[in-house]
Amino acid sequence: MQSLLIYFLSTLLYVWGLDSCISYAVKEHHQMRKSALSMEQNRNALTNSRLAFTPRLSSSLSYQQGWGRSVDLQTLQIINGRSTGTAGISVGATVSLLEGLSKLFRLRTAKEKTVLGEYEYESFREEVSIAVTKAYLEVLLCHRILLSCERNMESTGLQRDIVSSKVSIGEQPLGSLLEVEALLNSEKVRVVEARGRLESAYLSLRSAMCFPPDDSLQIDFLEEVGLLPPPVDLDEYELAAAVEGRPAFRAAESSERINELAFKSSKWAWLPTLTLSGGYSTFWSSNYRDAAGRQIPFGTQLEGNGNPSLGLTLSIPMFDNWNRHFKLRNAGLELQTSAIERERIRREIEDALREALIETRTLYRKVEACLQTKKSMEQALEAVTAKFDSGAVSAVEFTVSQTKCFQAVCEYYEALFQYIFQTKIVDLFRGVPVKL
């Protein structure tokens, strides 16, 4: 009971940062677990391909009981009406000396599939990291907007109390109080909407992490975002290196190499196969008797009836209804298709990286502009509030200024977190771990 209480309290008190959210998602996400199992299967297939070069061993034990006509193995005379028992033991080994290099190509293909599985795992890891980062930043954004809504509601509530006291002594008209109360009600609606948006953002984050719905998920809310890093600019060489280093592109290259091995294997399939086999067999028979008609003992028969063997088998393919021919042609078409797919993925990744770089530069300038607008609107609101307190401006002007200031704050935070997200996208392309 005490351990359960400690676990429950630790769950409630634990604060999740972006790193821990991504680590949890990578561990628990269903796609990551499936990819990990697929990698294990590829490693098993690789081990199996290596063991294919070892000899195949087999052994057999047999016993047969017959009635009717049989042969006396000592005199080679036909015997009628005698029950005959026969037992046999054999051990054999087979080694393929030449199979059109199929085993070698299967081994190389298994190695390449193992590499492909690792690249696919890293690609899924990036996708999960991006999804978690986007959901995490959305939670931070919704939290900031909620705080702004609550601060505005508190400020408007205090302003309503001030205006109410002034209306009671005749310093402000009743219309000013009604305007401020209407603004306060709208601020309450914004708070409700902001809380609902925050709950939805939490739900999206749980979904991206595959987090249990009943467990507590407390996010590490940043007090304030520090200095923003300037946007990264990559030259053509750095851009090409970033594209070629992406797991998705490396996986496409690996798939192309697998199809190339399949094409080569189809070409070498016309070679003959050479198999070396060896074995040892012996038997016992109830018809094996000595000159006096006594049955020869079991061990003596097994020792005397030993039959070692060694053989070579050469199989030459000649005509198989053009199966090999069309298999080779299809393998060539698959190789061309994989080359086209690799180039498509290269262009897709390059376009996505260029777009991310452009978006990052645009958002950086937008954040700077929104920050200046936010500061100006906050200063304007302070001035209007002071004038409203002194009766120099109407409640309508105060309401409009409050609304514009809130919009400026929301636009700033939205641009800010969009920029942070885009910088993380660029970092992933560059191979930099995602961190806040």
Side-chain angles (χ1 to χ4, degrees):
M1 184 66 183
Q2 184 178 3
S3 61
L4 291 177
L5 180 60
I6 293 175
Y7 171 77
F8 179 72
L9 292 176
S10 64
T11 304
L12 291 178
L13 297 176
Y14 185 77
V15 178
W16 293 78
L18 179 57
D19 295 345
S20 56
C21 289
I22 292 177
S23 299
Y24 182 91
V26 169
K27 181 181 177 182
E28 298 296 334
H29 199 277
H30 59 274
Q31 187 62 58
M32 300 302 300
R33 290 189 291 172
K34 287 173 59 179
S35 182
L37 294 176
S38 179
M39 285 197 302
E40 186 65 25
Q41 291 176 342
N42 291 334
R43 285 191 286 265
N44 292 337
L46 176 59
T47 303
N48 190 28
S49 299
R50 288 169 174 166
L51 294 176
F53 288 90
T54 60
R56 292 190 295 270
L57 300 176
S58 62
S59 62
S60 64
L61 298 175
S62 63
Y63 178 81
Q64 183 177 1
Q65 187 71 35
W67 296 267
R69 178 173 294 186
S70 61
V71 177
D72 188 334
L73 296 177
Q74 184 68 25
T75 62
L76 299 180
Q77 293 181 352
I78 296 176
I79 302 172
N80 292 315
R82 179 189 294 177
S83 177
T84 304
T86 305
I89 302 174
S90 64
V91 178
T94 304
V95 181
S96 297
L97 301 179
L98 179 64
E99 287 188 354
L101 302 180
S102 60
K103 285 186 178 180
L104 179 60
F105 284 117
R106 281 197 294 269
L107 175 60
R108 294 176 61 183
T109 301
K111 290 181 179 179
E112 201 60 51
K113 285 184 176 180
T114 303
V115 175
L116 174 62
E118 294 174 354
Y119 288 143
E120 289 178 344
Y121 181 85
E122 290 300 322
S123 181
F124 290 137
R125 182 188 180 95
E126 283 192 356
E127 293 177 3
V128 171
S129 300
I130 291 174
V132 172
T133 302
K134 184 177 182 180
Y136 188 90
L137 292 176
E138 182 68 21
V139 172
L140 295 183
L141 171 61
C142 293
H143 180 259
R144 287 296 178 87
I145 293 177
L146 176 60
L147 291 180
S148 298
C149 291
E150 291 175 343
R151 283 195 295 265
N152 287 345
M153 185 178 67
E154 293 175 0
S155 175
T156 305
L158 294 175
Q159 196 67 36
R160 189 271 312 271
D161 296 338
I162 295 175
V163 172
S164 178
S165 62
K166 290 184 177 181
V167 169
S168 62
I169 60 177
E171 293 184 1
Q172 287 279 4
L174 181 60
S176 297
L177 177 61
L178 296 178
E179 286 287 343
V180 175
E181 286 182 345
L183 177 60
L184 178 60
N185 290 329
S186 65
E187 295 291 348
K188 292 179 180 179
V189 172
R190 288 173 181 169
V191 169
V192 173
E193 292 176 347
R195 287 174 179 169
R197 184 178 174 184
L198 179 59
E199 291 179 0
S200 298
Y202 262 114
L203 183 60
S204 300
L205 179 59
R206 287 176 179 272
S207 177
M209 293 174 58
C210 291
F211 197 81
D214 299 331
D215 292 354
S216 174
L217 181 62
Q218 181 62 42
I219 297 301
D220 182 16
F221 295 111
L222 303 176
E223 293 296 331
E224 190 61 44
V225 179
L227 294 176
L228 294 180
V232 177
D233 193 12
L234 303 179
D235 57 28
E236 291 299 322
Y237 176 79
E238 292 173 330
L239 190 142
V243 171
E244 294 176 358
R246 292 300 81 228
F249 179 74
R250 303 295 293 272
E253 287 184 323
S254 183
S255 296
E256 184 180 6
R257 288 193 292 268
I258 290 174
N259 289 327
E260 183 180 2
L261 290 172
F263 177 72
K264 291 180 179 180
S265 179
S266 299
K267 287 179 63 177
W268 289 96
W270 294 95
L271 287 178
T273 60
L274 181 63
T275 305
L276 173 64
S277 59
Y280 180 85
S281 62
T282 184
F283 67 93
W284 168 88
S285 175
S286 61
N287 286 336
Y288 199 11
R289 302 173 181 272
D290 57 14
R294 294 187 301 267
Q295 189 178 85
I296 298 178
F298 182 82
T300 304
Q301 287 196 42
L302 293 181
E303 183 179 356
N305 294 334
N307 183 25
S309 63
L310 183 66
L312 285 173
T313 302
L314 180 65
S315 178
I316 303 175
M318 297 182 65
F319 182 73
D320 60 350
N321 297 326
W322 300 100
N323 288 334
R324 287 185 176 86
H325 173 74
F326 286 106
K327 186 176 181 180
L328 176 61
R329 292 185 60 181
N330 289 333
L333 295 176
E334 288 290 338
L335 180 58
Q336 296 179 38
T337 302
S338 61
I340 296 173
E341 180 68 11
R342 172 181 54 80
E343 186 60 28
R344 183 193 68 81
I345 292 177
R346 173 197 285 273
R347 294 291 299 274
E348 189 176 270
I349 296 175
E350 182 176 346
D351 292 343
L353 178 54
R354 291 183 184 275
E355 183 178 355
L357 291 172
I358 294 174
E359 186 71 15
T360 302
R361 291 193 292 268
T362 302
L363 286 172
Y364 185 76
R365 292 190 291 267
K366 183 178 180 180
V367 169
E368 290 181 332
C370 288
L371 179 60
Q372 296 302 321
T373 303
K374 172 177 170 290
K375 292 179 179 179
S376 299
M377 287 298 177
E378 289 174 344
Q379 293 174 357
L381 178 60
E382 291 179 359
V384 170
T385 302
K387 291 180 180 180
F388 179 66
D389 292 338
S390 63
V393 297
S394 65
V396 175
E397 294 182 54
F398 170 74
T399 302
V400 172
S401 180
Q402 178 89 323
T403 303
K404 288 184 178 180
C405 183
F406 174 74
Q407 292 176 349
V409 171
C410 291
E411 289 178 358
Y412 166 71
Y413 282 125
E414 287 179 356
L416 175 64
F417 285 103
Q418 285 178 1
Y419 175 75
I420 294 175
F421 176 69
Q422 286 297 325
T423 57
K424 302 310 170 187
I425 297 294
V426 175
D427 287 343
L428 276 177
F429 277 108
R430 297 167 55 214
V432 179
V434 177
K435 292 183 179 180
L436 284 181

